[in-house]
Amino acid sequence: MSLQAGPFSSAGIALHPVSEQHPRLSIDSYRPYIGLVGVMLGAVMATLGSRVTSFGLADLRGALGAGYDEGAWITTSFAVGQMLIGVTSPYLGAVLGVRRILLLGIILFFVASLLGPFSPNLAAFLTMQFLAGVGSGTFIPLTISFIVRSLPATMVIYGIAIYAMNIELSLNVAASLEGWYSDNWSWAWISWQYCVMLPVMAVCVWHGVPREEIKIDLLRRFDWPGVAYAAIGFSLLYAGLDQGNRLDWINNGMINALLASGFLLTIAFIVRELVTDHPFINIRLIFRENLVLLLLLLAGFRFIILSTAYIIPTYLQTVQNFRELQVGSVLLWIALPQLLIVIPLGALLKRVDGRWVLAIGAALVGTACLMATNLTSQWATSDFLPSQILQALGQSFALTALVVLIVRSINPAEALTIGALIQVSRLFGGEIGTAFMQTYVRIREQLHSNLIGLHIDGIAGLTLDRIAAFRSALGVHTSDPAAATAQATALLAAAVARQAAVLSFIDGFSVAALGALACVFLVAMMRKAKPSPF
């Protein structure tokens, strides 16, 4: 069996730090920073794409005349597009050049976002969502490779810190953006907002990302089977995970088919990459240094972050009946502190072992989740602030240190491969976290509702007193005693459902805290990384 390096090896791509190529300041010395602005905009939009759509799903369903089950595919179609291209775009970037792939992605994302709101039916809108996902899916995997390959060695760590901050910032401002569009403009701006930012990104990429020749030798030995197995297999798995909770997992034939076929294609991909002479992803890199643990940690933190990002909005919307703009006022407290600590955090990681920063970040996130287990049905915006500010600091510490450690574990020639692995870990970690938390909270809510219901005796004094109080309050609105009693009983049932929901959310925060503790143990298993030039 012959095992050779993938197409992203240094033999195929010449990589030199910018500081070595351009020791004197010139117009060319500023081009990497222009390019950095472009790829960072892309990272923001790629994350916003699915998050804003999730918050605006009710508005989109209403505008398109789609039911709940039909509309559930709106976010899935976008994310599947990102997964489909995310694993392959680094390979395409190595063959055709990063600049070309980014510009093609910008054009596709722009056209799909522009035409999406004009879709005559749901099928057309889902198609535009998928194409928008394909276009935006090129951004994040190629961002890391650009930072490592193009910035001066002394600035790489700050570029990584801004990259990590951008992703978390866009993740938590989405609710505020969607709420503002719905209240002041139109649901269509959920898509059109990208048409404003994409031209700026295109200009930055055009001027800031270096031109590269098409590598004919890599094109001739393009690993089409490996690319197809990975792209289709990962996409099927993602779709199965995304729709699993809604369709009750293994009790639904379509979910079984998606997960089984995705798993088989993923196995075929792994076997292919191990036996082919020219794999498009060098799987052997995964077993180098701490990379397995780091990728597991990345998936784990995405699990924690997106699961808690699901709990708080769901609580505020179901228990407190908050609108998206009000939900956003809570999530902004995770986003805003990251703007203040991004540069100091980069400087800290230049001087301190990243494992300590990562462990502290995980501990802070776990502590924030434990603080949130004091949740009651009376909590509103101000009650979440202490835990969310602490979680913001923890997420910033953990994710920035994590990406820095991943990049330090490779050499620049492997940056494109790592970009693909980061994208896969990021998407799957977040999706597994969201799918697990949705299912876990739903099951725990059913359990708590049943347990609370067992303690409500229809002839008990406390129950009768509560119904009488409700009936008395409702009596001023109706003269029919039977109608007042029915409404009072419905209010009692709603109170039971509300308390069951609160208890299930507390259980969700407890599980997230356990996940953070598991991440601390994984960090403790890591060996000290070798010295790095940045």
Side-chain angles (χ1 to χ4, degrees), residues 373-398:
T373 58
N374 295 314
L375 179 71
T376 71
S377 60
Q378 305 303 314
W379 274 36
T381 302
S382 59
D383 300 290
F384 283 104
L385 293 186
S387 64
Q388 292 314 292
I389 292 174
L390 188 63
Q391 181 161 337
L393 296 174
Q395 289 180 192
S396 298
F397 274 58

PDB file of all heavy atoms in Angstrom, residues 373-398:
ATOM      1  N   THR A 373     -28.027  27.061  35.863  1.00  0.00           N
ATOM      2  CA  THR A 373     -28.938  26.041  36.387  1.00  0.00           C
ATOM      3  C   THR A 373     -29.832  26.589  37.497  1.00  0.00           C
ATOM      4  O   THR A 373     -30.742  25.893  37.957  1.00  0.00           O
ATOM      5  CB  THR A 373     -28.155  24.825  36.921  1.00  0.00           C
ATOM      6  OG1 THR A 373     -27.241  25.251  37.949  1.00  0.00           O
ATOM      7  CG2 THR A 373     -27.377  24.144  35.803  1.00  0.00           C
ATOM      8  N   ASN A 374     -29.600  27.824  37.934  1.00  0.00           N
ATOM      9  CA  ASN A 374     -30.503  28.478  38.895  1.00  0.00           C
ATOM     10  C   ASN A 374     -31.722  29.074  38.208  1.00  0.00           C
ATOM     11  O   ASN A 374     -32.496  29.814  38.830  1.00  0.00           O
ATOM     12  CB  ASN A 374     -29.757  29.573  39.656  1.00  0.00           C
ATOM     13  CG  ASN A 374     -28.644  29.026  40.537  1.00  0.00           C
ATOM     14  OD1 ASN A 374     -28.846  28.058  41.261  1.00  0.00           O
ATOM     15  ND2 ASN A 374     -27.458  29.634  40.469  1.00  0.00           N
ATOM     16  N   LEU A 375     -31.888  28.777  36.956  1.00  0.00           N
ATOM     17  CA  LEU A 375     -32.984  29.297  36.141  1.00  0.00           C
ATOM     18  C   LEU A 375     -34.345  29.077  36.800  1.00  0.00           C
ATOM     19  O   LEU A 375     -34.609  28.019  37.381  1.00  0.00           O
ATOM     20  CB  LEU A 375     -32.950  28.596  34.768  1.00  0.00           C
ATOM     21  CG  LEU A 375     -34.016  28.955  33.745  1.00  0.00           C
ATOM     22  CD1 LEU A 375     -33.785  30.356  33.197  1.00  0.00           C
ATOM     23  CD2 LEU A 375     -34.000  27.936  32.594  1.00  0.00           C
ATOM     24  N   THR A 376     -35.219  30.091  36.711  1.00  0.00           N
ATOM     25  CA  THR A 376     -36.613  29.966  37.116  1.00  0.00           C
ATOM     26  C   THR A 376     -37.490  30.532  35.994  1.00  0.00           C
ATOM     27  O   THR A 376     -36.989  31.131  35.045  1.00  0.00           O
ATOM     28  CB  THR A 376     -36.906  30.739  38.414  1.00  0.00           C
ATOM     29  OG1 THR A 376     -36.870  32.158  38.138  1.00  0.00           O
ATOM     30  CG2 THR A 376     -35.896  30.406  39.491  1.00  0.00           C
ATOM     31  N   SER A 377     -38.777  30.356  36.134  1.00  0.00           N
ATOM     32  CA  SER A 377     -39.703  30.859  35.120  1.00  0.00           C
ATOM     33  C   SER A 377     -39.800  32.377  35.133  1.00  0.00           C
ATOM     34  O   SER A 377     -40.454  32.960  34.256  1.00  0.00           O
ATOM     35  CB  SER A 377     -41.099  30.250  35.327  1.00  0.00           C
ATOM     36  OG  SER A 377     -41.601  30.592  36.607  1.00  0.00           O
ATOM     37  N   GLN A 378     -39.146  33.032  36.099  1.00  0.00           N
ATOM     38  CA  GLN A 378     -39.183  34.495  36.189  1.00  0.00           C
ATOM     39  C   GLN A 378     -37.971  35.145  35.545  1.00  0.00           C
ATOM     40  O   GLN A 378     -37.922  36.378  35.434  1.00  0.00           O
ATOM     41  CB  GLN A 378     -39.259  34.919  37.665  1.00  0.00           C
ATOM     42  CG  GLN A 378     -40.423  34.308  38.433  1.00  0.00           C
ATOM     43  CD  GLN A 378     -41.762  34.622  37.811  1.00  0.00           C
ATOM     44  OE1 GLN A 378     -42.037  35.767  37.441  1.00  0.00           O
ATOM     45  NE2 GLN A 378     -42.608  33.606  37.665  1.00  0.00           N
ATOM     46  N   TRP A 379     -36.989  34.370  35.140  1.00  0.00           N
ATOM     47  CA  TRP A 379     -35.770  34.948  34.570  1.00  0.00           C
ATOM     48  C   TRP A 379     -36.054  35.685  33.274  1.00  0.00           C
ATOM     49  O   TRP A 379     -36.828  35.217  32.437  1.00  0.00           O
ATOM     50  CB  TRP A 379     -34.741  33.844  34.309  1.00  0.00           C
ATOM     51  CG  TRP A 379     -33.890  33.526  35.505  1.00  0.00           C
ATOM     52  CD1 TRP A 379     -34.279  33.531  36.812  1.00  0.00           C
ATOM     53  CD2 TRP A 379     -32.523  33.129  35.499  1.00  0.00           C
ATOM     54  NE1 TRP A 379     -33.247  33.168  37.636  1.00  0.00           N
ATOM     55  CE2 TRP A 379     -32.142  32.915  36.847  1.00  0.00           C
ATOM     56  CE3 TRP A 379     -31.578  32.936  34.505  1.00  0.00           C
ATOM     57  CZ2 TRP A 379     -30.857  32.505  37.216  1.00  0.00           C
ATOM     58  CZ3 TRP A 379     -30.290  32.528  34.861  1.00  0.00           C
ATOM     59  CH2 TRP A 379     -29.940  32.321  36.200  1.00  0.00           C
ATOM     60  N   ALA A 380     -35.402  36.831  33.124  1.00  0.00           N
ATOM     61  CA  ALA A 380     -35.471  37.598  31.880  1.00  0.00           C
ATOM     62  C   ALA A 380     -34.048  38.042  31.528  1.00  0.00           C
ATOM     63  O   ALA A 380     -33.071  37.437  31.969  1.00  0.00           O
ATOM     64  CB  ALA A 380     -36.413  38.788  32.037  1.00  0.00           C
ATOM     65  N   THR A 381     -33.922  39.117  30.783  1.00  0.00           N
ATOM     66  CA  THR A 381     -32.617  39.517  30.241  1.00  0.00           C
ATOM     67  C   THR A 381     -31.559  39.711  31.316  1.00  0.00           C
ATOM     68  O   THR A 381     -30.470  39.137  31.252  1.00  0.00           O
ATOM     69  CB  THR A 381     -32.775  40.819  29.438  1.00  0.00           C
ATOM     70  OG1 THR A 381     -33.722  40.606  28.390  1.00  0.00           O
ATOM     71  CG2 THR A 381     -31.442  41.230  28.830  1.00  0.00           C
ATOM     72  N   SER A 382     -31.835  40.525  32.328  1.00  0.00           N
ATOM     73  CA  SER A 382     -30.814  40.865  33.329  1.00  0.00           C
ATOM     74  C   SER A 382     -30.358  39.653  34.131  1.00  0.00           C
ATOM     75  O   SER A 382     -29.215  39.607  34.597  1.00  0.00           O
ATOM     76  CB  SER A 382     -31.359  41.943  34.276  1.00  0.00           C
ATOM     77  OG  SER A 382     -32.539  41.482  34.922  1.00  0.00           O
ATOM     78  N   ASP A 383     -31.216  38.661  34.303  1.00  0.00           N
ATOM     79  CA  ASP A 383     -30.852  37.485  35.087  1.00  0.00           C
ATOM     80  C   ASP A 383     -29.791  36.638  34.391  1.00  0.00           C
ATOM     81  O   ASP A 383     -29.032  35.919  35.053  1.00  0.00           O
ATOM     82  CB  ASP A 383     -32.097  36.633  35.358  1.00  0.00           C
ATOM     83  CG  ASP A 383     -33.156  37.387  36.125  1.00  0.00           C
ATOM     84  OD1 ASP A 383     -32.935  37.665  37.311  1.00  0.00           O
ATOM     85  OD2 ASP A 383     -34.191  37.738  35.514  1.00  0.00           O
ATOM     86  N   PHE A 384     -29.752  36.688  33.071  1.00  0.00           N
ATOM     87  CA  PHE A 384     -28.781  35.888  32.323  1.00  0.00           C
ATOM     88  C   PHE A 384     -27.419  36.571  32.206  1.00  0.00           C
ATOM     89  O   PHE A 384     -26.430  35.916  31.846  1.00  0.00           O
ATOM     90  CB  PHE A 384     -29.302  35.613  30.905  1.00  0.00           C
ATOM     91  CG  PHE A 384     -30.341  34.543  30.827  1.00  0.00           C
ATOM     92  CD1 PHE A 384     -31.673  34.865  30.658  1.00  0.00           C
ATOM     93  CD2 PHE A 384     -29.991  33.206  30.918  1.00  0.00           C
ATOM     94  CE1 PHE A 384     -32.648  33.874  30.573  1.00  0.00           C
ATOM     95  CE2 PHE A 384     -30.946  32.208  30.848  1.00  0.00           C
ATOM     96  CZ  PHE A 384     -32.284  32.541  30.672  1.00  0.00           C
ATOM     97  N   LEU A 385     -27.355  37.871  32.474  1.00  0.00           N
ATOM     98  CA  LEU A 385     -26.128  38.617  32.173  1.00  0.00           C
ATOM     99  C   LEU A 385     -24.881  38.100  32.895  1.00  0.00           C
ATOM    100  O   LEU A 385     -23.826  37.948  32.262  1.00  0.00           O
ATOM    101  CB  LEU A 385     -26.344  40.105  32.461  1.00  0.00           C
ATOM    102  CG  LEU A 385     -27.348  40.816  31.544  1.00  0.00           C
ATOM    103  CD1 LEU A 385     -27.344  42.312  31.840  1.00  0.00           C
ATOM    104  CD2 LEU A 385     -27.034  40.558  30.086  1.00  0.00           C
ATOM    105  N   PRO A 386     -24.914  37.830  34.218  1.00  0.00           N
ATOM    106  CA  PRO A 386     -23.673  37.354  34.856  1.00  0.00           C
ATOM    107  C   PRO A 386     -23.119  36.087  34.213  1.00  0.00           C
ATOM    108  O   PRO A 386     -21.919  35.995  33.929  1.00  0.00           O
ATOM    109  CB  PRO A 386     -24.103  37.114  36.311  1.00  0.00           C
ATOM    110  CG  PRO A 386     -25.280  38.017  36.507  1.00  0.00           C
ATOM    111  CD  PRO A 386     -26.004  38.017  35.198  1.00  0.00           C
ATOM    112  N   SER A 387     -23.988  35.106  33.988  1.00  0.00           N
ATOM    113  CA  SER A 387     -23.510  33.849  33.407  1.00  0.00           C
ATOM    114  C   SER A 387     -23.087  34.031  31.958  1.00  0.00           C
ATOM    115  O   SER A 387     -22.100  33.415  31.501  1.00  0.00           O
ATOM    116  CB  SER A 387     -24.593  32.768  33.502  1.00  0.00           C
ATOM    117  OG  SER A 387     -25.734  33.108  32.732  1.00  0.00           O
ATOM    118  N   GLN A 388     -23.770  34.887  31.209  1.00  0.00           N
ATOM    119  CA  GLN A 388     -23.436  35.047  29.803  1.00  0.00           C
ATOM    120  C   GLN A 388     -22.151  35.833  29.588  1.00  0.00           C
ATOM    121  O   GLN A 388     -21.395  35.569  28.656  1.00  0.00           O
ATOM    122  CB  GLN A 388     -24.595  35.723  29.067  1.00  0.00           C
ATOM    123  CG  GLN A 388     -25.825  34.850  28.964  1.00  0.00           C
ATOM    124  CD  GLN A 388     -25.495  33.436  28.532  1.00  0.00           C
ATOM    125  OE1 GLN A 388     -25.085  33.204  27.404  1.00  0.00           O
ATOM    126  NE2 GLN A 388     -25.639  32.482  29.449  1.00  0.00           N
ATOM    127  N   ILE A 389     -21.880  36.810  30.448  1.00  0.00           N
ATOM    128  CA  ILE A 389     -20.600  37.525  30.351  1.00  0.00           C
ATOM    129  C   ILE A 389     -19.452  36.566  30.662  1.00  0.00           C
ATOM    130  O   ILE A 389     -18.415  36.563  29.985  1.00  0.00           O
ATOM    131  CB  ILE A 389     -20.595  38.735  31.301  1.00  0.00           C
ATOM    132  CG1 ILE A 389     -21.598  39.788  30.808  1.00  0.00           C
ATOM    133  CG2 ILE A 389     -19.201  39.333  31.396  1.00  0.00           C
ATOM    134  CD1 ILE A 389     -21.779  40.960  31.741  1.00  0.00           C
ATOM    135  N   LEU A 390     -19.636  35.735  31.691  1.00  0.00           N
ATOM    136  CA  LEU A 390     -18.612  34.744  32.020  1.00  0.00           C
ATOM    137  C   LEU A 390     -18.435  33.744  30.879  1.00  0.00           C
ATOM    138  O   LEU A 390     -17.313  33.357  30.539  1.00  0.00           O
ATOM    139  CB  LEU A 390     -18.996  34.021  33.311  1.00  0.00           C
ATOM    140  CG  LEU A 390     -17.941  33.083  33.910  1.00  0.00           C
ATOM    141  CD1 LEU A 390     -16.700  33.874  34.306  1.00  0.00           C
ATOM    142  CD2 LEU A 390     -18.519  32.335  35.112  1.00  0.00           C
ATOM    143  N   GLN A 391     -19.548  33.331  30.285  1.00  0.00           N
ATOM    144  CA  GLN A 391     -19.452  32.397  29.165  1.00  0.00           C
ATOM    145  C   GLN A 391     -18.770  33.047  27.966  1.00  0.00           C
ATOM    146  O   GLN A 391     -18.019  32.393  27.234  1.00  0.00           O
ATOM    147  CB  GLN A 391     -20.843  31.911  28.758  1.00  0.00           C
ATOM    148  CG  GLN A 391     -20.799  30.914  27.603  1.00  0.00           C
ATOM    149  CD  GLN A 391     -22.056  30.080  27.492  1.00  0.00           C
ATOM    150  OE1 GLN A 391     -22.793  29.918  28.463  1.00  0.00           O
ATOM    151  NE2 GLN A 391     -22.307  29.540  26.314  1.00  0.00           N
ATOM    152  N   ALA A 392     -19.016  34.337  27.748  1.00  0.00           N
ATOM    153  CA  ALA A 392     -18.364  35.043  26.645  1.00  0.00           C
ATOM    154  C   ALA A 392     -16.847  35.008  26.794  1.00  0.00           C
ATOM    155  O   ALA A 392     -16.116  34.744  25.839  1.00  0.00           O
ATOM    156  CB  ALA A 392     -18.855  36.489  26.587  1.00  0.00           C
ATOM    157  N   LEU A 393     -16.375  35.276  28.009  1.00  0.00           N
ATOM    158  CA  LEU A 393     -14.933  35.222  28.263  1.00  0.00           C
ATOM    159  C   LEU A 393     -14.396  33.810  28.061  1.00  0.00           C
ATOM    160  O   LEU A 393     -13.345  33.603  27.446  1.00  0.00           O
ATOM    161  CB  LEU A 393     -14.633  35.706  29.677  1.00  0.00           C
ATOM    162  CG  LEU A 393     -14.964  37.170  29.982  1.00  0.00           C
ATOM    163  CD1 LEU A 393     -14.757  37.478  31.457  1.00  0.00           C
ATOM    164  CD2 LEU A 393     -14.115  38.099  29.125  1.00  0.00           C
ATOM    165  N   GLY A 394     -15.123  32.829  28.583  1.00  0.00           N
ATOM    166  CA  GLY A 394     -14.687  31.443  28.447  1.00  0.00           C
ATOM    167  C   GLY A 394     -14.630  30.988  27.003  1.00  0.00           C
ATOM    168  O   GLY A 394     -13.668  30.330  26.584  1.00  0.00           O
ATOM    169  N   GLN A 395     -15.652  31.328  26.230  1.00  0.00           N
ATOM    170  CA  GLN A 395     -15.663  30.949  24.818  1.00  0.00           C
ATOM    171  C   GLN A 395     -14.521  31.607  24.058  1.00  0.00           C
ATOM    172  O   GLN A 395     -13.889  30.972  23.208  1.00  0.00           O
ATOM    173  CB  GLN A 395     -17.008  31.325  24.182  1.00  0.00           C
ATOM    174  CG  GLN A 395     -18.153  30.455  24.639  1.00  0.00           C
ATOM    175  CD  GLN A 395     -19.480  30.845  24.011  1.00  0.00           C
ATOM    176  OE1 GLN A 395     -20.532  30.393  24.443  1.00  0.00           O
ATOM    177  NE2 GLN A 395     -19.447  31.672  23.003  1.00  0.00           N
ATOM    178  N   SER A 396     -14.278  32.864  24.333  1.00  0.00           N
ATOM    179  CA  SER A 396     -13.185  33.556  23.654  1.00  0.00           C
ATOM    180  C   SER A 396     -11.846  32.906  23.971  1.00  0.00           C
ATOM    181  O   SER A 396     -11.032  32.645  23.081  1.00  0.00           O
ATOM    182  CB  SER A 396     -13.162  35.029  24.053  1.00  0.00           C
ATOM    183  OG  SER A 396     -14.348  35.684  23.663  1.00  0.00           O
ATOM    184  N   PHE A 397     -11.603  32.638  25.256  1.00  0.00           N
ATOM    185  CA  PHE A 397     -10.359  31.994  25.658  1.00  0.00           C
ATOM    186  C   PHE A 397     -10.223  30.624  24.992  1.00  0.00           C
ATOM    187  O   PHE A 397      -9.180  30.300  24.400  1.00  0.00           O
ATOM    188  CB  PHE A 397     -10.323  31.820  27.189  1.00  0.00           C
ATOM    189  CG  PHE A 397      -9.800  33.013  27.920  1.00  0.00           C
ATOM    190  CD1 PHE A 397     -10.407  34.250  27.789  1.00  0.00           C
ATOM    191  CD2 PHE A 397      -8.706  32.910  28.758  1.00  0.00           C
ATOM    192  CE1 PHE A 397      -9.930  35.361  28.461  1.00  0.00           C
ATOM    193  CE2 PHE A 397      -8.219  34.001  29.445  1.00  0.00           C
ATOM    194  CZ  PHE A 397      -8.834  35.234  29.296  1.00  0.00           C
ATOM    195  N   ALA A 398     -11.279  29.823  25.097  1.00  0.00           N
ATOM    196  CA  ALA A 398     -11.192  28.436  24.647  1.00  0.00           C
ATOM    197  C   ALA A 398     -11.056  28.323  23.138  1.00  0.00           C
ATOM    198  O   ALA A 398     -10.161  27.626  22.631  1.00  0.00           O
ATOM    199  CB  ALA A 398     -12.430  27.668  25.121  1.00  0.00           C
TER     200      ALA A 398
END
